[in-house]
Amino acid sequence: MRAFISCVYLFLYAPIALVVLFSFNAGRNASEFTAFSTAWYGKALSNTFLVSALQNSLIIAFTSAALAAVFGTMAALGMERLSSRMRALFDALFAAAIVVPGVVIGIATLVALVAVFSFVNPTIAALWPGDQPPQLGLGYGSIIAAHGLFSMALVAMIVKARIASLGRDIVEASSDLYATPLTTFRLIVLPQILPSILAGFLLAFTFSFDDFIIAFFVAGSKTTLPIYVFASIRRGVTPEINAIATLVLVASLLLILTARVLMREKKSKSGE
Amino acid sequence: MRAAMNTKRNLVTAALVAPAAAWLTVFLVLPFIAMLVFAFGERAPEGGYQVAFTFAQFANLPTRAAAFWNTLLLAPAGALLCLIVAYPVAYYLAVKANPRYRLILVSLVVVPFWTSLLVRTYAWMYILGSRGIPNLLAMIGIEDVRMLNTPGAVLLGIVYGYLPLMIMPIYVSLERLDRRLLEASADLGAKPVSTFFGVTLPLSLPGVTTGVALVTILLLGEYLIPQLLGGGKVFFIGNALVDLFLQSRNWPFGSAIAVTLVAVVVVVLMVAMRIAWRVAGTRQVDLV
């Protein structure tokens, strides 16, 4: 049994280790390790297409995760006070945002946005006084919106679970002592749910940063890092891609570890 | 006074949920309605959509039958293979592992799931490609083995990519298992094997159901693994959708396929929930 378990761990980590190892390979050949070198990292980071894809990914991941953290938390706080029927509707929609395959979310967003653009753009053009009316199109906005949907659901779920385990008595004590609802929120509730919000933010960031398929549909002419990596793989695997892949792995690993630490803190504090 | 307070309270609640509600409406509900409308439309001559009401798109579904069959065969097959590998791991982690290292071992299982699937899948292109295992096999005299771009490679990629998602729910249900039941079974003279099949396995079925359902549902919409490891020879529905929307720009037909995919997902979900209720109360899965 132990041998089998060891094999499974090897199976899980060997491919990752291989990519990391070959990112430090001096040679171009992907089958033999010639000498240790960090040259491919330098090449990767001086590749302007790649750096701009990385920038796009960071901007999109940060914005969609921030939106999701704020709106998802607000929704989690508001949902408690909704009627049970409305709450069930919200739960179902959030669950749908998570369960529906990314491919379909991407398509649905694309279809809907294009329908909106084909109506809005001529209208703007007709009303615009100057020669060059602004055109709405796919890009940052559409990717952020589509990632924000999934991320908001994720944050709302995580924060809602935390609120459910929150002690009611301390909130009641606070209002008995004449704190305004806003003060109670700021001094009592927020500090307790903050780790969950941060964890949700980090998970949403990671999801957005790693997502390929949704962005592939709604990116328009914008290129995110996964889209760039995917396109490069189809042109042939190079050590440069290994270097980027390693950087992506390290980044998502750090974010996930931070998120997990934050969530564990939540659990120990609530005494589970 | 009280009525005024209630109104104010309702306003605050509405303000709190409004942004998320707007987001869900604009980017989930309306797009689905649009997709449904598109599915009954026609392809415009230059690509895209033009208004019509026809069932032609749904009648065309058999032309993409290969993608449907691949998905409907390989997704459950992949989930079952995952289960076969995952169960012993979950069992070891929950029952056998030294409690001191348990948390680390469990984290080590989850971490790959949260790193880029694209990168992890592409690592297998290396290993299965002509310079990888086939190259090693050639050295010992086994020539011309092709591994990449086969259904087997896709299955391998599926097991690799989704294994953590299968291990976790099974681990959770095994971990909650009451140890006294195992002792009672042993005290009553049951051999370890009978205890496993009579007590442990039945009590872990909720986790097994959750795992199989989760993995199957996610696999139904998979795109990357068949694309990278199947080399465009092993098509899934996801691949057909990308082709229809981004290459041939046949939006109505693509919408019809997407609608059908969602219907299949819903059916799988409902069947899974039915089974889950039957084998014992559903359990929440804590993936993070």
Side-chain angles (χ1 to χ4, degrees), chain A residues 9 11-13 30 74 81 103 107-108 145 234 242 253 260 267, chain B residues 12 16 23 27 31 88 105 108 111 122 126 160 227 241 245 286 288:
Chain A
Y9 278 94
F11 174 63
L12 281 177
Y13 283 92
M74 283 166 63
R81 323 205 229 168
V103 132
I107 288 169
R234 298 182 93 184
N242 286 337
L253 210 65
R260 278 185 68 97
K267 279 187 181 150
Chain B
V12 171
L16 283 172
W23 220 274
F27 295 106
L105 289 173
L108 280 174
V111 159
Y122 129 81
Y126 244 134
Y160 180 69
Q227 190 66 29
L241 285 173
F245 274 89
D286 196 3
V288 284

PDB file of all heavy atoms in Angstrom, chain A residues 9 11-13 30 74 81 103 107-108 145 234 242 253 260 267, chain B residues 12 16 23 27 31 88 105 108 111 122 126 160 227 241 245 286 288:
ATOM      1  N   TYR A   9       2.115   9.895  -5.443  1.00  0.00           N
ATOM      2  CA  TYR A   9       2.747  11.205  -5.216  1.00  0.00           C
ATOM      3  C   TYR A   9       3.776  11.498  -6.285  1.00  0.00           C
ATOM      4  O   TYR A   9       3.884  12.635  -6.763  1.00  0.00           O
ATOM      5  CB  TYR A   9       3.375  11.273  -3.819  1.00  0.00           C
ATOM      6  CG  TYR A   9       2.360  11.610  -2.752  1.00  0.00           C
ATOM      7  CD1 TYR A   9       1.713  10.616  -2.044  1.00  0.00           C
ATOM      8  CD2 TYR A   9       2.027  12.930  -2.489  1.00  0.00           C
ATOM      9  CE1 TYR A   9       0.769  10.908  -1.084  1.00  0.00           C
ATOM     10  CE2 TYR A   9       1.080  13.247  -1.539  1.00  0.00           C
ATOM     11  CZ  TYR A   9       0.445  12.236  -0.829  1.00  0.00           C
ATOM     12  OH  TYR A   9      -0.496  12.554   0.100  1.00  0.00           O
ATOM     13  N   PHE A  11       3.679  10.341  -9.326  1.00  0.00           N
ATOM     14  CA  PHE A  11       2.858  10.622 -10.503  1.00  0.00           C
ATOM     15  C   PHE A  11       2.383  12.074 -10.498  1.00  0.00           C
ATOM     16  O   PHE A  11       2.398  12.759 -11.515  1.00  0.00           O
ATOM     17  CB  PHE A  11       1.676   9.648 -10.495  1.00  0.00           C
ATOM     18  CG  PHE A  11       0.625   9.866 -11.542  1.00  0.00           C
ATOM     19  CD1 PHE A  11       0.925   9.746 -12.892  1.00  0.00           C
ATOM     20  CD2 PHE A  11      -0.683  10.154 -11.181  1.00  0.00           C
ATOM     21  CE1 PHE A  11      -0.055   9.919 -13.859  1.00  0.00           C
ATOM     22  CE2 PHE A  11      -1.665  10.325 -12.141  1.00  0.00           C
ATOM     23  CZ  PHE A  11      -1.350  10.215 -13.485  1.00  0.00           C
ATOM     24  N   LEU A  12       1.993  12.563  -9.296  1.00  0.00           N
ATOM     25  CA  LEU A  12       1.474  13.938  -9.208  1.00  0.00           C
ATOM     26  C   LEU A  12       2.572  14.971  -9.427  1.00  0.00           C
ATOM     27  O   LEU A  12       2.332  16.022 -10.009  1.00  0.00           O
ATOM     28  CB  LEU A  12       0.810  14.175  -7.850  1.00  0.00           C
ATOM     29  CG  LEU A  12      -0.598  13.633  -7.652  1.00  0.00           C
ATOM     30  CD1 LEU A  12      -1.075  13.880  -6.227  1.00  0.00           C
ATOM     31  CD2 LEU A  12      -1.572  14.288  -8.626  1.00  0.00           C
ATOM     32  N   TYR A  13       3.768  14.688  -8.930  1.00  0.00           N
ATOM     33  CA  TYR A  13       4.783  15.733  -8.922  1.00  0.00           C
ATOM     34  C   TYR A  13       5.861  15.605  -9.989  1.00  0.00           C
ATOM     35  O   TYR A  13       6.507  16.596 -10.332  1.00  0.00           O
ATOM     36  CB  TYR A  13       5.409  15.863  -7.528  1.00  0.00           C
ATOM     37  CG  TYR A  13       4.482  16.606  -6.600  1.00  0.00           C
ATOM     38  CD1 TYR A  13       3.564  15.933  -5.805  1.00  0.00           C
ATOM     39  CD2 TYR A  13       4.480  17.990  -6.570  1.00  0.00           C
ATOM     40  CE1 TYR A  13       2.678  16.610  -4.994  1.00  0.00           C
ATOM     41  CE2 TYR A  13       3.611  18.683  -5.768  1.00  0.00           C
ATOM     42  CZ  TYR A  13       2.709  17.989  -4.977  1.00  0.00           C
ATOM     43  OH  TYR A  13       1.836  18.682  -4.196  1.00  0.00           O
ATOM     44  N   ALA A  30      14.831  19.087 -25.601  1.00  0.00           N
ATOM     45  CA  ALA A  30      13.954  18.816 -24.466  1.00  0.00           C
ATOM     46  C   ALA A  30      14.158  17.413 -23.896  1.00  0.00           C
ATOM     47  O   ALA A  30      13.466  17.033 -22.966  1.00  0.00           O
ATOM     48  CB  ALA A  30      12.497  19.006 -24.879  1.00  0.00           C
ATOM     49  N   MET A  74     -20.339  41.670  -0.087  1.00  0.00           N
ATOM     50  CA  MET A  74     -21.613  42.378   0.105  1.00  0.00           C
ATOM     51  C   MET A  74     -22.781  41.414  -0.066  1.00  0.00           C
ATOM     52  O   MET A  74     -23.725  41.419   0.734  1.00  0.00           O
ATOM     53  CB  MET A  74     -21.721  43.533  -0.908  1.00  0.00           C
ATOM     54  CG  MET A  74     -20.887  44.751  -0.535  1.00  0.00           C
ATOM     55  SD  MET A  74     -20.708  45.905  -1.921  1.00  0.00           S
ATOM     56  CE  MET A  74     -22.398  46.400  -2.189  1.00  0.00           C
ATOM     57  N   ARG A  81     -30.146  38.288   5.094  1.00  0.00           N
ATOM     58  CA  ARG A  81     -31.355  39.005   5.485  1.00  0.00           C
ATOM     59  C   ARG A  81     -32.452  38.864   4.440  1.00  0.00           C
ATOM     60  O   ARG A  81     -33.520  39.441   4.590  1.00  0.00           O
ATOM     61  CB  ARG A  81     -31.047  40.487   5.635  1.00  0.00           C
ATOM     62  CG  ARG A  81     -29.677  40.772   6.218  1.00  0.00           C
ATOM     63  CD  ARG A  81     -29.724  42.091   6.859  1.00  0.00           C
ATOM     64  NE  ARG A  81     -28.659  42.998   6.531  1.00  0.00           N
ATOM     65  CZ  ARG A  81     -28.721  44.285   6.863  1.00  0.00           C
ATOM     66  NH1 ARG A  81     -29.791  44.758   7.414  1.00  0.00           N
ATOM     67  NH2 ARG A  81     -27.723  45.071   6.609  1.00  0.00           N
ATOM     68  N   VAL A 103     -16.212  26.490 -20.663  1.00  0.00           N
ATOM     69  CA  VAL A 103     -16.429  26.626 -22.096  1.00  0.00           C
ATOM     70  C   VAL A 103     -17.781  27.295 -22.378  1.00  0.00           C
ATOM     71  O   VAL A 103     -17.894  28.206 -23.194  1.00  0.00           O
ATOM     72  CB  VAL A 103     -16.336  25.221 -22.739  1.00  0.00           C
ATOM     73  CG1 VAL A 103     -17.450  24.923 -23.666  1.00  0.00           C
ATOM     74  CG2 VAL A 103     -15.025  25.029 -23.441  1.00  0.00           C
ATOM     75  N   ILE A 107     -18.682  31.051 -23.941  1.00  0.00           N
ATOM     76  CA  ILE A 107     -19.542  31.206 -25.115  1.00  0.00           C
ATOM     77  C   ILE A 107     -20.711  32.123 -24.817  1.00  0.00           C
ATOM     78  O   ILE A 107     -21.003  33.046 -25.575  1.00  0.00           O
ATOM     79  CB  ILE A 107     -20.088  29.840 -25.560  1.00  0.00           C
ATOM     80  CG1 ILE A 107     -18.974  29.031 -26.198  1.00  0.00           C
ATOM     81  CG2 ILE A 107     -21.253  29.999 -26.517  1.00  0.00           C
ATOM     82  CD1 ILE A 107     -19.345  27.603 -26.430  1.00  0.00           C
ATOM     83  N   ALA A 108     -21.375  31.851 -23.680  1.00  0.00           N
ATOM     84  CA  ALA A 108     -22.570  32.623 -23.333  1.00  0.00           C
ATOM     85  C   ALA A 108     -22.209  34.106 -23.214  1.00  0.00           C
ATOM     86  O   ALA A 108     -22.928  34.977 -23.725  1.00  0.00           O
ATOM     87  CB  ALA A 108     -23.171  32.107 -22.030  1.00  0.00           C
ATOM     88  N   ALA A 145     -15.305  40.840 -16.599  1.00  0.00           N
ATOM     89  CA  ALA A 145     -16.704  40.548 -16.282  1.00  0.00           C
ATOM     90  C   ALA A 145     -16.935  39.048 -16.155  1.00  0.00           C
ATOM     91  O   ALA A 145     -17.570  38.586 -15.205  1.00  0.00           O
ATOM     92  CB  ALA A 145     -17.610  41.129 -17.365  1.00  0.00           C
ATOM     93  N   ARG A 234       1.534  25.213 -29.112  1.00  0.00           N
ATOM     94  CA  ARG A 234       1.139  24.679 -30.418  1.00  0.00           C
ATOM     95  C   ARG A 234       2.215  24.914 -31.460  1.00  0.00           C
ATOM     96  O   ARG A 234       2.293  24.187 -32.447  1.00  0.00           O
ATOM     97  CB  ARG A 234      -0.167  25.325 -30.856  1.00  0.00           C
ATOM     98  CG  ARG A 234      -1.286  25.006 -29.898  1.00  0.00           C
ATOM     99  CD  ARG A 234      -2.566  25.607 -30.351  1.00  0.00           C
ATOM    100  NE  ARG A 234      -3.329  24.661 -31.147  1.00  0.00           N
ATOM    101  CZ  ARG A 234      -4.473  24.974 -31.727  1.00  0.00           C
ATOM    102  NH1 ARG A 234      -4.950  26.180 -31.621  1.00  0.00           N
ATOM    103  NH2 ARG A 234      -5.139  24.077 -32.421  1.00  0.00           N
ATOM    104  N   ASN A 242       9.037  26.606 -20.735  1.00  0.00           N
ATOM    105  CA  ASN A 242       9.261  25.978 -19.430  1.00  0.00           C
ATOM    106  C   ASN A 242       9.545  27.013 -18.362  1.00  0.00           C
ATOM    107  O   ASN A 242       9.083  26.899 -17.224  1.00  0.00           O
ATOM    108  CB  ASN A 242      10.438  25.003 -19.501  1.00  0.00           C
ATOM    109  CG  ASN A 242      10.075  23.734 -20.235  1.00  0.00           C
ATOM    110  OD1 ASN A 242       8.903  23.389 -20.315  1.00  0.00           O
ATOM    111  ND2 ASN A 242      11.062  23.072 -20.773  1.00  0.00           N
ATOM    112  N   LEU A 253       1.305  28.827  -6.679  1.00  0.00           N
ATOM    113  CA  LEU A 253       1.606  28.098  -5.444  1.00  0.00           C
ATOM    114  C   LEU A 253       1.637  29.040  -4.238  1.00  0.00           C
ATOM    115  O   LEU A 253       1.022  28.769  -3.204  1.00  0.00           O
ATOM    116  CB  LEU A 253       2.965  27.428  -5.600  1.00  0.00           C
ATOM    117  CG  LEU A 253       3.181  26.135  -4.853  1.00  0.00           C
ATOM    118  CD1 LEU A 253       2.245  25.084  -5.418  1.00  0.00           C
ATOM    119  CD2 LEU A 253       4.615  25.686  -4.984  1.00  0.00           C
ATOM    120  N   ARG A 260      -4.613  29.326   1.904  1.00  0.00           N
ATOM    121  CA  ARG A 260      -4.862  28.220   2.836  1.00  0.00           C
ATOM    122  C   ARG A 260      -4.525  28.599   4.269  1.00  0.00           C
ATOM    123  O   ARG A 260      -5.238  28.241   5.200  1.00  0.00           O
ATOM    124  CB  ARG A 260      -4.060  26.989   2.411  1.00  0.00           C
ATOM    125  CG  ARG A 260      -4.741  26.201   1.312  1.00  0.00           C
ATOM    126  CD  ARG A 260      -3.988  24.936   1.011  1.00  0.00           C
ATOM    127  NE  ARG A 260      -4.059  23.991   2.114  1.00  0.00           N
ATOM    128  CZ  ARG A 260      -4.933  22.983   2.165  1.00  0.00           C
ATOM    129  NH1 ARG A 260      -5.762  22.795   1.185  1.00  0.00           N
ATOM    130  NH2 ARG A 260      -4.944  22.170   3.185  1.00  0.00           N
ATOM    131  N   LYS A 267     -10.445  28.702  10.741  1.00  0.00           N
ATOM    132  CA  LYS A 267     -10.957  27.509  11.396  1.00  0.00           C
ATOM    133  C   LYS A 267     -10.524  27.421  12.852  1.00  0.00           C
ATOM    134  O   LYS A 267     -11.299  27.100  13.724  1.00  0.00           O
ATOM    135  CB  LYS A 267     -10.514  26.257  10.641  1.00  0.00           C
ATOM    136  CG  LYS A 267     -11.413  26.024   9.449  1.00  0.00           C
ATOM    137  CD  LYS A 267     -11.126  24.716   8.773  1.00  0.00           C
ATOM    138  CE  LYS A 267     -12.032  24.553   7.567  1.00  0.00           C
ATOM    139  NZ  LYS A 267     -11.440  23.769   6.520  1.00  0.00           N
TER     140      LYS A 267
ATOM    141  N   VAL B  12     -30.955  48.651   2.767  1.00  0.00           N
ATOM    142  CA  VAL B  12     -29.549  48.263   2.953  1.00  0.00           C
ATOM    143  C   VAL B  12     -29.313  46.870   2.355  1.00  0.00           C
ATOM    144  O   VAL B  12     -28.359  46.652   1.616  1.00  0.00           O
ATOM    145  CB  VAL B  12     -29.170  48.279   4.445  1.00  0.00           C
ATOM    146  CG1 VAL B  12     -27.788  47.677   4.660  1.00  0.00           C
ATOM    147  CG2 VAL B  12     -29.216  49.701   4.977  1.00  0.00           C
ATOM    148  N   LEU B  16     -26.865  45.837  -0.705  1.00  0.00           N
ATOM    149  CA  LEU B  16     -25.772  44.865  -0.542  1.00  0.00           C
ATOM    150  C   LEU B  16     -25.777  43.812  -1.642  1.00  0.00           C
ATOM    151  O   LEU B  16     -24.736  43.442  -2.173  1.00  0.00           O
ATOM    152  CB  LEU B  16     -25.880  44.182   0.832  1.00  0.00           C
ATOM    153  CG  LEU B  16     -25.402  44.997   2.037  1.00  0.00           C
ATOM    154  CD1 LEU B  16     -25.747  44.259   3.327  1.00  0.00           C
ATOM    155  CD2 LEU B  16     -23.910  45.242   1.964  1.00  0.00           C
ATOM    156  N   TRP B  23     -24.707  41.423 -11.682  1.00  0.00           N
ATOM    157  CA  TRP B  23     -23.674  40.633 -12.366  1.00  0.00           C
ATOM    158  C   TRP B  23     -24.229  39.292 -12.837  1.00  0.00           C
ATOM    159  O   TRP B  23     -24.040  38.889 -13.980  1.00  0.00           O
ATOM    160  CB  TRP B  23     -22.498  40.407 -11.416  1.00  0.00           C
ATOM    161  CG  TRP B  23     -21.186  40.514 -12.102  1.00  0.00           C
ATOM    162  CD1 TRP B  23     -20.533  39.523 -12.762  1.00  0.00           C
ATOM    163  CD2 TRP B  23     -20.371  41.679 -12.201  1.00  0.00           C
ATOM    164  NE1 TRP B  23     -19.357  40.005 -13.272  1.00  0.00           N
ATOM    165  CE2 TRP B  23     -19.222  41.308 -12.937  1.00  0.00           C
ATOM    166  CE3 TRP B  23     -20.493  42.990 -11.739  1.00  0.00           C
ATOM    167  CZ2 TRP B  23     -18.207  42.215 -13.216  1.00  0.00           C
ATOM    168  CZ3 TRP B  23     -19.478  43.892 -12.026  1.00  0.00           C
ATOM    169  CH2 TRP B  23     -18.353  43.508 -12.742  1.00  0.00           C
ATOM    170  N   PHE B  27     -24.413  38.640 -16.763  1.00  0.00           N
ATOM    171  CA  PHE B  27     -23.377  37.757 -17.296  1.00  0.00           C
ATOM    172  C   PHE B  27     -23.678  36.265 -17.131  1.00  0.00           C
ATOM    173  O   PHE B  27     -22.849  35.437 -17.455  1.00  0.00           O
ATOM    174  CB  PHE B  27     -22.024  38.096 -16.680  1.00  0.00           C
ATOM    175  CG  PHE B  27     -21.564  39.465 -17.078  1.00  0.00           C
ATOM    176  CD1 PHE B  27     -21.601  40.514 -16.168  1.00  0.00           C
ATOM    177  CD2 PHE B  27     -21.143  39.710 -18.374  1.00  0.00           C
ATOM    178  CE1 PHE B  27     -21.202  41.787 -16.548  1.00  0.00           C
ATOM    179  CE2 PHE B  27     -20.754  40.975 -18.762  1.00  0.00           C
ATOM    180  CZ  PHE B  27     -20.781  42.018 -17.843  1.00  0.00           C
ATOM    181  N   PRO B  31     -27.085  35.935 -20.815  1.00  0.00           N
ATOM    182  CA  PRO B  31     -26.333  35.168 -21.817  1.00  0.00           C
ATOM    183  C   PRO B  31     -26.944  33.810 -22.112  1.00  0.00           C
ATOM    184  O   PRO B  31     -26.946  33.365 -23.260  1.00  0.00           O
ATOM    185  CB  PRO B  31     -24.955  35.017 -21.181  1.00  0.00           C
ATOM    186  CG  PRO B  31     -24.815  36.214 -20.320  1.00  0.00           C
ATOM    187  CD  PRO B  31     -26.184  36.470 -19.780  1.00  0.00           C
ATOM    188  N   PRO B  88      -7.567   4.205  -2.756  1.00  0.00           N
ATOM    189  CA  PRO B  88      -6.515   3.777  -1.822  1.00  0.00           C
ATOM    190  C   PRO B  88      -5.780   4.966  -1.198  1.00  0.00           C
ATOM    191  O   PRO B  88      -5.425   4.924  -0.014  1.00  0.00           O
ATOM    192  CB  PRO B  88      -5.562   2.961  -2.697  1.00  0.00           C
ATOM    193  CG  PRO B  88      -6.340   2.581  -3.889  1.00  0.00           C
ATOM    194  CD  PRO B  88      -7.362   3.645  -4.097  1.00  0.00           C
ATOM    195  N   LEU B 105       0.519  15.669   4.034  1.00  0.00           N
ATOM    196  CA  LEU B 105       0.232  14.758   2.919  1.00  0.00           C
ATOM    197  C   LEU B 105      -1.034  15.180   2.172  1.00  0.00           C
ATOM    198  O   LEU B 105      -1.096  15.143   0.949  1.00  0.00           O
ATOM    199  CB  LEU B 105       0.098  13.319   3.428  1.00  0.00           C
ATOM    200  CG  LEU B 105       1.398  12.668   3.893  1.00  0.00           C
ATOM    201  CD1 LEU B 105       1.140  11.308   4.535  1.00  0.00           C
ATOM    202  CD2 LEU B 105       2.362  12.514   2.731  1.00  0.00           C
ATOM    203  N   LEU B 108      -0.328  18.198   0.086  1.00  0.00           N
ATOM    204  CA  LEU B 108       0.440  17.841  -1.105  1.00  0.00           C
ATOM    205  C   LEU B 108      -0.457  17.295  -2.215  1.00  0.00           C
ATOM    206  O   LEU B 108      -0.132  17.403  -3.390  1.00  0.00           O
ATOM    207  CB  LEU B 108       1.510  16.803  -0.755  1.00  0.00           C
ATOM    208  CG  LEU B 108       2.765  17.371  -0.100  1.00  0.00           C
ATOM    209  CD1 LEU B 108       3.700  16.251   0.337  1.00  0.00           C
ATOM    210  CD2 LEU B 108       3.491  18.325  -1.037  1.00  0.00           C
ATOM    211  N   VAL B 111      -2.469  20.720  -3.587  1.00  0.00           N
ATOM    212  CA  VAL B 111      -1.707  21.778  -4.249  1.00  0.00           C
ATOM    213  C   VAL B 111      -1.699  21.659  -5.786  1.00  0.00           C
ATOM    214  O   VAL B 111      -1.970  22.642  -6.475  1.00  0.00           O
ATOM    215  CB  VAL B 111      -0.272  21.866  -3.677  1.00  0.00           C
ATOM    216  CG1 VAL B 111       0.672  22.553  -4.626  1.00  0.00           C
ATOM    217  CG2 VAL B 111      -0.313  22.600  -2.344  1.00  0.00           C
ATOM    218  N   TYR B 122       0.619  20.232 -20.181  1.00  0.00           N
ATOM    219  CA  TYR B 122       1.661  20.379 -21.183  1.00  0.00           C
ATOM    220  C   TYR B 122       2.912  19.599 -20.776  1.00  0.00           C
ATOM    221  O   TYR B 122       3.653  19.112 -21.627  1.00  0.00           O
ATOM    222  CB  TYR B 122       1.892  21.873 -21.425  1.00  0.00           C
ATOM    223  CG  TYR B 122       3.276  22.393 -21.362  1.00  0.00           C
ATOM    224  CD1 TYR B 122       4.123  22.257 -22.461  1.00  0.00           C
ATOM    225  CD2 TYR B 122       3.744  23.043 -20.236  1.00  0.00           C
ATOM    226  CE1 TYR B 122       5.399  22.761 -22.411  1.00  0.00           C
ATOM    227  CE2 TYR B 122       5.014  23.547 -20.185  1.00  0.00           C
ATOM    228  CZ  TYR B 122       5.838  23.398 -21.270  1.00  0.00           C
ATOM    229  OH  TYR B 122       7.099  23.884 -21.221  1.00  0.00           O
ATOM    230  N   TYR B 126       5.547  16.536 -23.061  1.00  0.00           N
ATOM    231  CA  TYR B 126       6.968  16.225 -22.949  1.00  0.00           C
ATOM    232  C   TYR B 126       7.209  14.736 -22.778  1.00  0.00           C
ATOM    233  O   TYR B 126       7.979  14.098 -23.478  1.00  0.00           O
ATOM    234  CB  TYR B 126       7.471  16.865 -21.657  1.00  0.00           C
ATOM    235  CG  TYR B 126       8.487  17.933 -21.823  1.00  0.00           C
ATOM    236  CD1 TYR B 126       8.364  19.128 -21.116  1.00  0.00           C
ATOM    237  CD2 TYR B 126       9.595  17.752 -22.638  1.00  0.00           C
ATOM    238  CE1 TYR B 126       9.287  20.118 -21.224  1.00  0.00           C
ATOM    239  CE2 TYR B 126      10.525  18.742 -22.754  1.00  0.00           C
ATOM    240  CZ  TYR B 126      10.371  19.929 -22.050  1.00  0.00           C
ATOM    241  OH  TYR B 126      11.285  20.897 -22.158  1.00  0.00           O
ATOM    242  N   TYR B 160      -4.599  12.356 -14.312  1.00  0.00           N
ATOM    243  CA  TYR B 160      -3.600  13.224 -13.699  1.00  0.00           C
ATOM    244  C   TYR B 160      -4.210  14.550 -13.238  1.00  0.00           C
ATOM    245  O   TYR B 160      -3.981  14.994 -12.118  1.00  0.00           O
ATOM    246  CB  TYR B 160      -2.469  13.495 -14.690  1.00  0.00           C
ATOM    247  CG  TYR B 160      -1.411  14.382 -14.127  1.00  0.00           C
ATOM    248  CD1 TYR B 160      -0.576  13.927 -13.117  1.00  0.00           C
ATOM    249  CD2 TYR B 160      -1.260  15.688 -14.579  1.00  0.00           C
ATOM    250  CE1 TYR B 160       0.390  14.753 -12.580  1.00  0.00           C
ATOM    251  CE2 TYR B 160      -0.299  16.512 -14.038  1.00  0.00           C
ATOM    252  CZ  TYR B 160       0.525  16.044 -13.045  1.00  0.00           C
ATOM    253  OH  TYR B 160       1.463  16.863 -12.504  1.00  0.00           O
ATOM    254  N   GLN B 227      -7.298  18.610 -26.320  1.00  0.00           N
ATOM    255  CA  GLN B 227      -6.608  19.413 -27.330  1.00  0.00           C
ATOM    256  C   GLN B 227      -5.105  19.146 -27.311  1.00  0.00           C
ATOM    257  O   GLN B 227      -4.489  18.933 -28.345  1.00  0.00           O
ATOM    258  CB  GLN B 227      -6.878  20.910 -27.077  1.00  0.00           C
ATOM    259  CG  GLN B 227      -6.429  21.817 -28.186  1.00  0.00           C
ATOM    260  CD  GLN B 227      -7.215  21.607 -29.471  1.00  0.00           C
ATOM    261  OE1 GLN B 227      -8.374  21.207 -29.429  1.00  0.00           O
ATOM    262  NE2 GLN B 227      -6.599  21.841 -30.605  1.00  0.00           N
ATOM    263  N   LEU B 241     -16.944  23.033 -29.624  1.00  0.00           N
ATOM    264  CA  LEU B 241     -17.488  24.371 -29.377  1.00  0.00           C
ATOM    265  C   LEU B 241     -16.495  25.455 -29.771  1.00  0.00           C
ATOM    266  O   LEU B 241     -16.856  26.443 -30.408  1.00  0.00           O
ATOM    267  CB  LEU B 241     -17.870  24.516 -27.900  1.00  0.00           C
ATOM    268  CG  LEU B 241     -19.153  23.786 -27.503  1.00  0.00           C
ATOM    269  CD1 LEU B 241     -19.368  23.834 -26.005  1.00  0.00           C
ATOM    270  CD2 LEU B 241     -20.340  24.419 -28.219  1.00  0.00           C
ATOM    271  N   PHE B 245     -17.290  28.203 -32.661  1.00  0.00           N
ATOM    272  CA  PHE B 245     -17.421  29.626 -32.356  1.00  0.00           C
ATOM    273  C   PHE B 245     -16.258  30.449 -32.866  1.00  0.00           C
ATOM    274  O   PHE B 245     -16.432  31.562 -33.339  1.00  0.00           O
ATOM    275  CB  PHE B 245     -17.580  29.847 -30.845  1.00  0.00           C
ATOM    276  CG  PHE B 245     -18.996  29.734 -30.414  1.00  0.00           C
ATOM    277  CD1 PHE B 245     -19.510  28.507 -30.045  1.00  0.00           C
ATOM    278  CD2 PHE B 245     -19.830  30.836 -30.419  1.00  0.00           C
ATOM    279  CE1 PHE B 245     -20.824  28.390 -29.678  1.00  0.00           C
ATOM    280  CE2 PHE B 245     -21.143  30.725 -30.050  1.00  0.00           C
ATOM    281  CZ  PHE B 245     -21.646  29.491 -29.683  1.00  0.00           C
ATOM    282  N   ASP B 286     -15.022  20.366   0.829  1.00  0.00           N
ATOM    283  CA  ASP B 286     -14.189  21.522   1.148  1.00  0.00           C
ATOM    284  C   ASP B 286     -12.893  21.409   0.360  1.00  0.00           C
ATOM    285  O   ASP B 286     -11.990  20.689   0.740  1.00  0.00           O
ATOM    286  CB  ASP B 286     -13.902  21.539   2.652  1.00  0.00           C
ATOM    287  CG  ASP B 286     -13.382  22.881   3.087  1.00  0.00           C
ATOM    288  OD1 ASP B 286     -13.311  23.784   2.227  1.00  0.00           O
ATOM    289  OD2 ASP B 286     -13.059  23.033   4.266  1.00  0.00           O
ATOM    290  N   VAL B 288     -10.848  23.894  -0.603  1.00  0.00           N
ATOM    291  CA  VAL B 288      -9.808  24.849  -0.269  1.00  0.00           C
ATOM    292  C   VAL B 288      -9.514  24.791   1.215  1.00  0.00           C
ATOM    293  O   VAL B 288      -8.427  24.556   1.626  1.00  0.00           O
ATOM    294  CB  VAL B 288     -10.198  26.266  -0.666  1.00  0.00           C
ATOM    295  CG1 VAL B 288     -10.053  26.449  -2.156  1.00  0.00           C
ATOM    296  CG2 VAL B 288     -11.606  26.570  -0.255  1.00  0.00           C
TER     297      VAL B 288
END
